[in-house]
Amino acid sequence: MKAKLEEIRAKAKEELSKANAVEAIEELRVKYAGKKGELTAILKQMGKLSPEERPVIGQLANEVRAFIENEVETKKAELAEAKLNRQLEEEKIDVTLPSDKSPLGHKHPLSVVLDEIKEIFVGMGFEIVEGPEVEYDYYNFEALNIPKDHPARDTQDTFYITDNIVLRTQTSPVQVRVMEKKKPPIRIISPGRVFRSDAVDATHSPLFHQIEGLVVDKDITFADLKGTLETFIKRLYGEDSVVRFRPHHFPFTEPSAEVDVQCFSCKGKGCRVCKNEGWIEILGCGMVHPKVLENCGIDPEEYSGFALGLGLERVAMRRYGVDDMRLFYENDTRFLSQF
Ligand code: DAH
């Protein structure tokens, strides 16, 4: 039996030294020192031994078991360490390597144009104010002289939140909010997002941007409107720009006009840029309707004013020769990085 135990010890040692996976080591432990292992099989025969031999063999058996278990643990630890070393080697980071350049962002073309427009108006003494995008029907329509049955509502396909709350279809409601709060003199512009239930195509989007302008004071006349807008357009498009006022209609201004600038590409002859018209429409404007002043608690006998509304995307499209406004919203860096 003694020889048998020594043989188990030698065999286990030999086999363990060759094993190089945790599973294989565990298998060997079961094979030799497990409950049904070779060592246990031998111990079961202890009853056949004489009382003198029993403790000797018992002690040896315990030694062999301890030896095997010790070998198993040592071997497992070795494997774990080797694995860790391999991992450390593979995942080594060379902190001295030059890093990838992180790409710098670009100002969005709409922001470039908006900042320029803001600067021009601020230079003329205008303040910049903002209004809510979710707006009461009252401010978006009613107070601007567009009652419930007014045909102008049809041209502005409105997103309704409830019967009397909408996503604003224009920045004009900010006029009303400003006039309600502040007494003249008023000189503000209000840029922001507006929403209309339009299908997306090259020139339409359910979300776009407008800039509203409003001036109210004593003795404001159409001449002030013309002078201000001409100055604005010349600063935006160049001192040699030719500006034209065309009669138009808006419910909240009277009289109203649309303003065109002579095509800077063909100088009025007609080309692709101006769709052969020679002129490019820039904005809508007019003298604030007395009813609108009244709605806001401003006495139209004492004060008068003018207002304007301008589409930001149009200005940017013309400025950069962009013929599809969807490019502004896709945020494809290949497009944006050009500005
Ligand atoms: N709110 C108008 C629109 O969305 C634009 C506009 C025209 C605003 C004339 C004005 C204005 O303030 O006077 O079509």
Side-chain angles (χ1 to χ4, degrees), residues 96-331:
T96 66
L97 281 175
S99 65
D100 286 341
K101 258 202 189 146
S102 25
L104 260 189
H106 285 260
K107 217 164 164 181
H108 194 284
L110 291 177
S111 303
V112 176
V113 174
L114 176 58
D115 285 351
E116 210 174 298
I117 293 172
K118 278 186 190 165
E119 205 169 299
I120 298 172
F121 277 106
V122 167
M124 295 194 284
F126 282 69
E127 257 178 88
I128 296 167
V129 298
E130 285 189 11
E133 293 175 352
V134 179
E135 185 57 285
Y136 288 106
D137 181 287
Y138 174 77
Y139 287 104
N140 195 77
F141 293 124
E142 208 82 28
L144 290 164
N145 205 21
I146 313 175
K148 285 265 192 267
D149 53 359
H150 196 286
R153 291 203 180 204
D154 298 343
T155 62
Q156 304 194 354
D157 295 320
T158 310
F159 288 115
Y160 280 89
I161 307 282
T162 67
D163 275 352
N164 63 355
I165 298 175
V166 302
L167 293 185
R168 66 176 179 191
T169 59
Q170 47 188 357
T171 43
S172 305
V174 186
Q175 287 185 27
V176 181
R177 289 185 172 273
V178 169
M179 286 191 277
E180 274 184 351
K181 271 218 224 74
K182 194 168 149 23
K183 292 302 139 207
I186 292 169
R187 225 183 284 140
I188 60 107
I189 59 163
S190 183
R193 303 200 287 184
V194 299
F195 308 85
R196 292 186 195 178
S197 171
D198 278 327
V200 176
D201 65 27
T203 54
H204 292 88
S205 161
L207 181 162
F208 58 103
H209 299 77
Q210 288 187 338
I211 301 160
E212 194 74 15
L214 175 71
V215 172
V216 183
D217 203 352
K218 288 191 170 128
D219 304 321
I220 296 291
T221 68
F222 205 91
D224 296 306
L225 162 65
K226 282 190 78 172
T228 306
L229 290 184
E230 244 182 79
T231 305
F232 163 65
I233 289 167
K234 288 188 167 172
R235 298 224 170 121
L236 188 64
Y237 287 111
E239 284 304 321
D240 55 350
S241 308
V242 184
V243 180
R244 165 175 99 171
F245 286 73
R246 238 182 327 104
H248 199 76
H249 173 264
F250 296 105
F252 33 87
T253 46
E254 180 58 34
S256 307
E258 277 191 330
V259 179
D260 302 333
V261 62
Q262 196 175 64
C263 179
F264 28 77
S265 184
C266 64
K267 300 277 176 243
K269 284 194 207 80
C271 69
R272 207 176 59 91
V273 177
C274 58
K275 299 198 180 94
N276 273 322
E277 305 220 335
W279 297 88
I280 293 166
E281 185 204 316
I282 301 284
L283 53 84
C285 61
M287 300 306 292
V288 181
H289 198 293
K291 269 200 191 164
V292 175
L293 292 175
E294 244 167 41
N295 288 342
C296 305
I298 292 180
D299 181 0
E301 297 296 329
E302 195 181 352
Y303 294 104
S304 55
F306 69 82
L308 64 118
L310 160 100
L312 186 58
E313 277 80 356
R314 278 194 173 189
V315 177
M317 284 169 86
R318 231 166 282 130
R319 160 75 52 94
Y320 297 116
V322 173
D323 56 10
D324 192 331
M325 76 194 276
R326 283 171 286 201
L327 289 164
F328 290 138
Y329 313 118
E330 282 165 356
N331 283 333

Side-chain angles (χ1 to χ4, degrees), residues 65-81:
R65 180 188 301 280
F67 171 81
I68 292 172
E69 269 162 9
N70 189 31
E71 282 292 289
V72 164
E73 285 319 307
T74 311
K75 191 77 194 183
K76 276 187 184 169
E78 270 172 33
L79 280 179
E81 194 183 320

